[in-house]
Amino acid sequence: MSVTPSSLQSGDALLIVDVQLDFCPGGALAIAAGDEVVPVLNRWIELARHAEIPVYASRDWHPAGHPSFEAQGGPWPPHCLQDSDGARFHPDLALPESTIKVTKGVRFDQDQNSAFDQTGLAQELQRHDISRIWVGGLAEEVCVAATALDARREGFEVYLINDATRPVTTAGGHEARQRLMEAGVRMSADA
Ligand code: VGL
Ligand code: ZN
């Protein structure tokens, strides 16, 4: 079953995961067509504004020598270094001034793929009486999947915005979608 964007209502939040330059074409960890999520998410930001629901945006924000980097034995090339150009949100992403930012990946000893991992985000959302979360961003099978799965574990209703995410690999994306659906994450229609 798909859900239409007109379903946005009080008690919902839009959660935009890691739409940063390093994950877009030309970036340090470029995801194919990663920047195509931007116009889609901009429509959802507009819908969120109309529905007067909060917008959260997470960002990967690594120190030099982060354990997720290849030189440290991790799986990734260096990316989203704190205060670097590549760590900036995509400049065309029309984040409202009221956007609440969630910074993650700052630990020296372990990675945090999920925006819920040791950030206090679940408590923050509960404090604002949020029960449903609409998720999009990058990368589908990495931080988007980890975030959506944690949101389910924390008891939220979760919708993945269908066209607002892109995977590192096509197979990884399919596999993630399967896992998400098994965990009760629903797929939303496009805005
Ligand atoms: C991500 C790889 C490494 C993501 C973050 O945001 O999906 N992927 N760090
Ligand atoms: Zn990272």
Side-chain angles (χ1 to χ4, degrees):
M1 191 193 72
S2 76
V3 181
T4 62
S6 60
S7 326
L8 285 186
Q9 62 192 39
S10 160
D12 290 358
L14 177 61
L15 174 51
I16 298 173
V17 176
D18 299 5
V19 179
Q20 293 166 274
L21 283 173
D22 270 347
F23 297 127
C24 293
L29 211 172
I31 292 156
D35 55 342
E36 287 181 6
V37 304
V38 172
V40 180
L41 285 167
N42 283 344
R43 291 197 288 278
W44 282 80
I45 289 168
E46 196 53 28
L47 292 166
R49 213 173 55 79
H50 278 287
E52 298 183 339
I53 66 161
V55 177
Y56 290 80
S58 71
R59 60 179 182 179
D60 216 27
W61 196 250
H62 295 315
H66 187 257
S68 76
F69 297 168
E70 282 153 355
Q72 279 67 42
W76 309 113
H79 62 279
C80 295
L81 283 160
Q82 293 171 6
D83 296 308
S84 67
D85 269 355
R88 287 167 50 218
F89 291 117
H90 192 292
D92 297 337
L93 185 66
L95 290 175
E97 214 164 301
S98 58
T99 300
I100 302 150
K101 299 185 182 120
V102 183
T103 299
K104 64 181 183 61
V106 297
R107 291 190 57 126
F108 296 106
D109 58 341
Q110 57 177 244
D111 202 4
Q112 296 150 277
N113 282 334
S114 161
F116 287 89
D117 187 3
Q118 304 168 87
T119 60
L121 178 59
Q123 290 83 345
E124 155 72 12
L125 294 170
Q126 283 151 9
R127 206 162 41 237
H128 290 93
D129 296 320
I130 303 298
S131 57
R132 304 198 308 183
I133 307 171
W134 301 76
V135 184
L138 303 170
E140 182 168 14
E141 74 273 55
V142 189
C143 291
V144 171
T147 298
L149 289 172
D150 267 357
R152 287 292 300 144
R153 273 183 217 112
E154 295 283 357
F156 296 98
E157 249 183 88
V158 184
Y159 295 91
L160 179 66
I161 303 171
N162 212 19
D163 201 31
T165 185
R166 292 289 184 282
V168 179
T169 69
T170 306
H174 286 145
E175 190 264 340
R177 230 162 245 238
Q178 199 57 44
R179 266 190 301 134
L180 293 177
M181 288 176 67
E182 280 162 17
V185 173
R186 295 194 239 181
M187 301 297 142
S188 88
D190 300 335

